[in-house]
Amino acid sequence: MRFFKNFTGGTSTFGRRFLVASLLAIVALASIASATPLTGTILTNPGDTVFPGLVPPGTGPGTLLASLVAPYSFVTTAGTTSGSLVSAVYRNSSGTLDFYYQVNNNASSATAIARETDDAFNGFLTWLGFRVDGSALAGALFVDGTVAPVTGDRNGGTGAVVGFSFNPPDGAKILPGLHSNVLVISTDAVNFVAGNASVIDGGTQTVASFQPTAATPEPASFALLGLGLLAIGGIGRKIKARR
């Protein structure tokens, strides 16, 4: 009984600190457990190369939080390649964020586009996929592209960079005048900030986009933590009263 009293904070602060730490851990685990990837996407850990999954047409993207259309242009020995990269962030039904991208290659471009990369996803879970129903997505940002990614990958180490490749073969690249399917990175993040993305083929152009940022407890988690702290206070008062 004496151990129980000390453990729960009868005369020691250790018990209270332990219980607070436990509650914080429960809140963190609850946030992770609540992350539900977009249907059809494939888990991609640092160092993985996968075949991105097809998100079933008609799957609700969630609530549109931000969008951006960024033009790109770079020069190679073949000439100038230009177009635009459309980026958007949606909050899905689980409360976590999905990052959407579409590469548009101008008909006048000198080369096809082989790859698109996105930064910085280190510290977050990622699932990769693509959508063929771009025109149906909220915001009227995307079109029904015709070029699917061949593979998706996440670099080793920290896993900061997530990429989509459109070759081999070269015929699978985003040719001049074509649009990629909508590329999806589903995450367990709940907040985002301005970020960067790159369009690559012989030359590279880095443009403005979005990236996840460190998560903070959602209102429900704060409420759970508050109830836990009240419970700790109640336990302390009861123990003092019994002594």
Side-chain angles (χ1 to χ4, degrees):
M1 179 64 71
R2 181 176 300 171
F3 171 78
F4 176 78
K5 288 181 178 179
N6 288 334
F7 182 77
T8 54
T11 58
S12 171
T13 59
F14 173 77
R16 287 192 177 91
R17 289 176 179 174
F18 179 83
L19 289 174
V20 170
S22 298
L23 283 168
L24 290 173
I26 291 171
V27 169
L29 289 173
S31 296
I32 293 173
S34 68
T36 303
L38 193 65
T39 302
T41 56
I42 304 297
L43 178 64
T44 308
N45 295 309
D48 286 353
T49 296
V50 302
F51 296 108
L54 173 63
V55 177
T59 301
T63 303
L64 177 64
L65 302 181
S67 62
L68 181 65
V69 179
Y72 66 83
S73 179
F74 56 84
V75 178
T76 66
T77 55
T80 300
T81 294
S82 62
S84 63
L85 179 68
V86 182
S87 303
V89 184
Y90 291 86
R91 188 180 301 281
N92 66 34
S93 58
S94 74
T96 53
L97 303 182
D98 299 330
F99 295 80
Y100 283 49
Y101 310 88
Q102 185 168 49
V103 181
N104 303 310
N105 195 4
N106 289 339
S108 59
S109 290
T111 65
I113 300 298
R115 185 166 168 78
E116 189 272 342
T117 62
D118 308 293
D119 200 32
F121 289 83
N122 45 302
F124 297 96
L125 296 175
T126 61
W127 294 262
L128 305 189
F130 67 98
R131 304 190 64 135
V132 299
D133 57 346
S135 64
L137 302 178
L141 303 163
F142 302 102
V143 298
D144 295 336
T146 58
V147 185
V150 176
T151 58
D153 57 83
R154 188 172 180 185
N155 69 341
T158 63
V161 179
V162 175
F164 295 88
S165 294
F166 297 89
N167 70 313
D170 282 349
K173 294 180 180 179
I174 308 169
L175 301 174
L178 297 184
H179 313 274
S180 74
N181 290 140
V182 178
L183 313 173
V184 180
I185 304 175
S186 192
T187 75
D188 62 341
V190 296
N191 292 307
F192 70 96
V193 293
N196 295 301
S198 297
V199 178
I200 305 168
D201 190 279
T204 301
Q205 177 73 60
T206 299
V207 299
S209 185
F210 305 102
Q211 69 179 58
T213 189
T216 57
E218 297 177 2
S221 299
F222 278 121
L224 177 61
L225 178 59
L227 289 173
L229 293 174
L230 288 173
I232 292 172
I235 291 172
R237 287 192 296 272
K238 287 182 181 179
I239 290 174
K240 288 181 180 179
R242 290 176 181 175
R243 296 179 66 189

